[in-house]
């Protein structure tokens, strides 16, 4: 799982989808620190085009598919026959007993029952449980590493495009400050750094960046570039990179409050609440950096 929670929903009645109010359940996903993604399909062909369904965290299927010869339980059986064990919400306007009879008849596992009137509430309940199961410490560490890696690529793109668009004076200032920063930290990289000093380019600067240097260089770019601003950008190092370093390199010890990490002479307490805030922060920073990258692409 990444920080997008994806739901595949099959109902052959377009009016049902038009009548849905997904905003409350989408807001719940956002509150948990996940970006909601609902894929709504109205035909068996659309549904099966999503096979093997590996990109989805939850599948929702209607029982009464009036436009087709099959019922929803037959599609669930088809999904399960392909070794897909994603949790499924199975719903209908009919009594729940009919759905349970269909589930028992086909011996379907991992299926949750809902009425059409409360299906979004059921989706929220099942999603919350599935999110809780995967957000143990090892999985959360992996999510943070992967998301910071994705953001690194965004920052690289911002730097390469944005620095190239600066005037010679601003560009030279950024290159010189970067040289001083790298020189102080990496004297052993002498030749590579000397080559950069002789002929600096955005690409060669990015090549020598670690995550922190990317962030500092982007901050300098935001100050120098006439089309960009650092207003509202926040402190990416404090909010994301320092927690990431503790999760990546620190050794955890279990406490009543959660897990205590020690790294670089500093402590970091990781709990469910801290993890939720970290996921929200990652999603927000990623959105900001995507916006900056798109702004540069339009120029």
């Amino acid at each position: 799982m990444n920080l997008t929670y994806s739901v595949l929903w099959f109902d052959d009645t377009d009016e049902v989808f038009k009548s849905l109010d997904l905003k409350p359940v989408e807001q719940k996903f956002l509150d948990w620190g996940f970006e909601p993604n609902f894929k709504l399909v109205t035909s068996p062909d659309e549904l099966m085009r999503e096979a093997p369904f590996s990109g989805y965290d939850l599948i929702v299927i209607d029982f009464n598919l009036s436009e087709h010869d099959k019922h929803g339980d037959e599609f669930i059986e088809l999904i399960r026959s392909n070794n897909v064990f994603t949790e499924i919400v199975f719903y209908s306007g009919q009594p729940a007993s009919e759905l349970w009879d269909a589930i028992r008849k086909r011996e379907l596992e991992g299926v949750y029952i809902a009425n059409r009137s409360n299906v979004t509430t059921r989706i929220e309940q099942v999603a919350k449980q599935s999110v809780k199961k995967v957000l143990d410490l090892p999985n959360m560490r992996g999510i943070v590493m992967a998301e910071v890696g994705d953001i690194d690529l965004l920052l690289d793109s911002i730097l390469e495009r944005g620095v190239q668009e600066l005037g010679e004076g601003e560009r030279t200032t950024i290159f010189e400050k970067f040289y001083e920063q790298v020189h102080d930290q990496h004297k052993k990289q002498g030749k590579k750094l000397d080559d950069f000093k002789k002929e600096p380019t955005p690409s060669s600067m990015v090549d020598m960046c670690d995550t922190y240097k990317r962030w500092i260089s982007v901050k300098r770019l935001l100050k120098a570039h006439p089309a960009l601003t650092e207003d509202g950008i926040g402190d990416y190092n404090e909010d994301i990179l320092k927690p990431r370093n503790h999760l990546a390199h620190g050794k955890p010890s279990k406490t009543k409050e959660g897990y205590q990490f020690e790294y670089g002479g500093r402590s970091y307490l990781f709990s469910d609440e801290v993890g939720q805030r970290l996921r929200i922060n990652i999603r927000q920073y990623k959105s900001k950096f995507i916006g900056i990258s798109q702004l540069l692409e339009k120029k």
Side-chain angles (χ1 to χ4, degrees), residues 94-156:
Q94 304 301 318
S97 58
E98 292 190 26
L99 279 72
W100 284 119
D101 287 343
I103 289 171
R104 282 191 290 267
K105 178 183 176 181
R106 298 185 185 276
E107 299 181 345
L108 302 174
E109 297 179 314
V111 180
Y112 297 84
I113 296 299
N115 187 271
R116 187 182 298 276
S117 63
N118 68 356
V119 63
T120 54
T121 300
R122 194 60 166 157
I123 288 171
E124 179 188 323
Q125 293 169 339
V126 176
K128 184 176 183 179
Q129 186 61 29
S130 65
V131 163
K132 186 177 180 180
K133 285 192 294 187
V134 302
L135 288 183
D136 57 10
L137 182 60
N139 279 317
M140 190 60 198
R141 292 172 93 172
I143 287 173
V144 173
M145 300 309 107
E147 291 293 332
V148 171
D150 287 346
I151 291 175
D152 278 351
L153 296 177
L154 271 174
L155 298 183
D156 284 348

Side-chain angles (χ1 to χ4, degrees), residues 16-82:
V16 170
F17 288 143
K18 290 178 182 177
S19 68
L20 286 174
D21 181 11
L22 292 178
K23 288 183 179 179
V25 69
E26 288 178 331
Q27 185 58 54
K28 283 292 183 181
F29 290 177
L30 292 169
D31 291 343
W32 301 335
F34 291 88
E35 188 73 29
N37 175 40
F38 281 82
K39 173 76 173 181
L40 310 178
V41 299
T42 57
S43 73
D45 287 344
E46 286 182 283
L47 176 69
M48 298 316 296
R49 275 201 293 270
E50 301 301 318
F53 311 102
S54 57
Y56 293 97
D57 304 293
L58 180 64
I59 299 173
V60 184
I61 296 183
D62 182 28
F63 175 61
N64 291 308
L65 301 171
S66 57
E67 300 297 323
H68 307 286
D69 295 332
K70 295 182 178 181
H71 284 88
D73 53 298
E74 296 177 69
F75 288 101
I76 297 174
E77 184 177 47
L78 182 59
I79 290 169
R80 291 290 186 252
S81 69
N82 286 282

Side-chain angles (χ1 to χ4, degrees), residues 99-253:
L99 279 72
W100 284 119
D101 287 343
I103 289 171
R104 282 191 290 267
K105 178 183 176 181
R106 298 185 185 276
E107 299 181 345
L108 302 174
E109 297 179 314
V111 180
Y112 297 84
I113 296 299
N115 187 271
R116 187 182 298 276
S117 63
N118 68 356
V119 63
T120 54
T121 300
R122 194 60 166 157
I123 288 171
E124 179 188 323
Q125 293 169 339
V126 176
K128 184 176 183 179
Q129 186 61 29
S130 65
V131 163
K132 186 177 180 180
K133 285 192 294 187
V134 302
L135 288 183
D136 57 10
L137 182 60
N139 279 317
M140 190 60 198
R141 292 172 93 172
I143 287 173
V144 173
M145 300 309 107
E147 291 293 332
V148 171
D150 287 346
I151 291 175
D152 278 351
L153 296 177
L154 271 174
L155 298 183
D156 284 348
S157 173
I158 290 169
L159 283 172
E160 292 210 37
R161 184 179 292 271
V163 172
Q164 194 62 46
E165 293 177 356
L166 294 177
E168 174 123 8
E170 292 90 348
R171 188 164 57 244
T172 298
T173 298
I174 285 182
F175 285 151
E176 287 180 348
K177 288 183 178 178
F178 176 79
Y179 175 84
E180 292 169 4
Q181 181 184 16
V182 177
H183 187 269
D184 290 342
Q185 296 178 3
H186 299 284
K187 291 182 179 179
K188 293 181 180 178
Q189 291 188 357
K191 185 176 185 309
K192 193 173 184 180
L193 196 56
D194 287 342
D195 290 343
F196 171 80
K197 181 65 175 177
K198 293 173 184 174
E199 192 174 349
T201 66
S203 294
S204 59
M205 182 177 71
V206 165
D207 186 51
M208 285 188 289
C209 276
D210 57 26
T211 298
Y212 179 72
K213 294 190 192 70
R214 285 185 180 91
W215 163 237
I216 294 301
S217 296
V218 165
K219 281 187 69 176
R220 293 170 183 150
L221 171 64
L222 295 177
K223 287 182 178 180
H225 199 293
L228 303 178
T229 177
E230 61 176 342
D231 292 345
I233 197 65
D235 191 341
Y236 181 63
N237 183 52
E238 194 66 35
D239 294 338
I240 305 297
L241 297 186
K242 287 183 178 179
R244 178 259 184 199
N245 289 338
H246 277 87
L247 291 172
H249 306 298
K251 185 176 180 180
S253 58

